[in-house]
Amino acid sequence: MTVALPADADALENGLIEIARKAGAAMMEIYQTDFDVRSKDDASPVTEADDAAEAVILPGLRALTPDVKIVSEESAAKGDVPDVNGETDFFWLVDPLDGTKEFIKRNGEFTVNVALIAKGQPVLGVVYAPAIDKLYYGGPDGAKLIEGDVMEPKTTAISVREMPEDGVVVVGSRSHGDPEAMKAFLGDLAVKELRPAGSSLKLCLVAAGEADLYPRLGPTMEWDIGAGHAVLAAAGGVVENMDGSGFVYGKADFRNPFFIARSPSVPVKYEN
């Protein structure tokens, strides 16, 4: 989908990467401490790092695009949700700390997620994993992985790969997996490896050609996957509903159905 962005594309990219890096730095300051964990109304865990990252991201996005609404997980949990249902223009979709359980476990597989949604589809996105210093970006000019020091980063263009002849690499949730449901979904598909991963890094592994298929057979929210979807789409991949229909953002409650993220070369059996 080609759209006229709400600001200069280079300014959006540079600004978004800078915001994600600053949010990641705020998270890492807390990651090194004996932080407290509390529960939200839905019993999901939250830490002060979630709040610290959001406190960086929201003003950064408002300065970057003053007229674009922002839907953020932590603000939404407090009842602050702008009306974007049926929105024809843009809105930002933010998960300040995706993979809070991975953050608590201190395994490094947590990310900052920020996506720009236009007419129900992600058109820009950044996924930053500060503990492992990997930043994935997707936009109109493709997808890239940025690693290393901010002053001397290594930037690599990424794209999905063709289905390997010796079987696919399938990624699944490290903390929310359902092995039996996964087995039933895969059926007789030739699988070389089942690889667990945390947060939206699963989508980025497919985007980078390190994996081929990510079936999500459990609940998620739009802010969990919007940024990773943007990266995957820019890398040539697809996210679709279990019946093969297109995946749409801006739903009334922001809850996602089960979905499939994949390289287009991987065949799947859709639900009728």
Side-chain angles (χ1 to χ4, degrees):
M1 179 178 65
T2 302
V3 297
L5 297 174
D8 176 75
D10 289 339
L12 283 173
E13 177 177 340
N14 294 333
L16 197 51
I17 289 173
E18 180 181 6
I19 290 167
R21 286 194 180 277
K22 287 181 177 179
M27 288 161 48
M28 290 305 294
E29 288 184 7
I30 296 166
Y31 190 62
Q32 308 298 335
T33 69
D34 294 325
F35 54 83
D36 293 327
V37 180
R38 63 187 190 275
S39 294
K40 292 188 283 191
D41 290 344
D42 63 359
S44 61
V46 63
T47 72
E48 56 191 300
D50 298 72
D51 298 327
E54 186 176 74
V56 171
I57 295 168
L58 299 192
L61 292 179
R62 291 183 182 120
L64 191 62
T65 54
D67 298 325
V68 177
K69 296 177 181 179
I70 305 173
V71 176
S72 180
E73 179 183 18
E74 302 315 320
S75 293
K78 300 169 186 173
D80 181 8
V81 186
D83 181 13
V84 297
N85 300 328
E87 188 82 20
T88 57
D89 294 324
F90 299 91
F91 69 93
W92 290 106
L93 192 55
V94 177
D95 191 342
L97 198 172
D98 182 35
T100 301
K101 290 185 177 180
E102 316 311 327
F103 186 90
I104 295 168
K105 295 174 185 176
R106 300 181 190 271
N107 65 17
E109 294 184 341
F110 55 90
T111 58
V112 176
N113 293 356
V114 185
L116 181 64
I117 308 299
K119 299 181 179 179
Q121 295 299 307
V123 292
L124 297 175
V126 63
V127 175
Y128 179 42
I132 58 176
D133 199 19
K134 291 181 181 289
L135 188 149
Y136 296 87
Y137 180 83
D141 295 328
K144 64 182 76 175
L145 167 62
I146 304 173
E147 302 172 276
D149 184 83
V150 66
M151 301 304 295
E152 295 183 3
K154 175 186 176 184
T155 301
T156 307
I158 59 174
S159 63
V160 297
R161 66 183 181 184
E162 290 295 310
M163 178 176 170
E165 294 183 359
D166 59 348
V168 298
V169 174
V170 180
V171 284
S173 175
R174 187 177 294 281
S175 298
H176 304 277
D178 184 338
E180 291 304 314
M182 179 71 81
K183 182 179 179 181
F185 173 80
L186 295 174
D188 57 3
L189 181 67
V191 176
K192 180 180 180 180
E193 180 185 356
L194 287 170
R195 182 184 302 176
S199 69
S200 53
L201 288 171
K202 296 180 286 293
L203 291 151
C204 295
L205 288 172
V206 179
E210 297 180 41
D212 308 286
L213 174 65
Y214 167 36
R216 180 63 188 211
L217 310 175
T220 57
M221 302 296 288
E222 291 185 7
W223 45 72
D224 293 323
I225 71 163
H229 185 174
V231 174
L232 179 56
V238 295
V239 175
E240 55 199 352
N241 295 315
M242 300 300 289
D243 62 0
S245 61
F247 199 90
V248 177
Y249 292 81
K251 297 181 288 293
D253 58 3
F254 300 101
R255 294 184 183 277
N256 295 327
F258 294 0
F259 64 83
I260 306 162
R262 63 185 177 92
S263 164
S265 64
V266 177
V268 295
K269 293 181 180 180
Y270 297 118
E271 294 179 350
N272 295 325

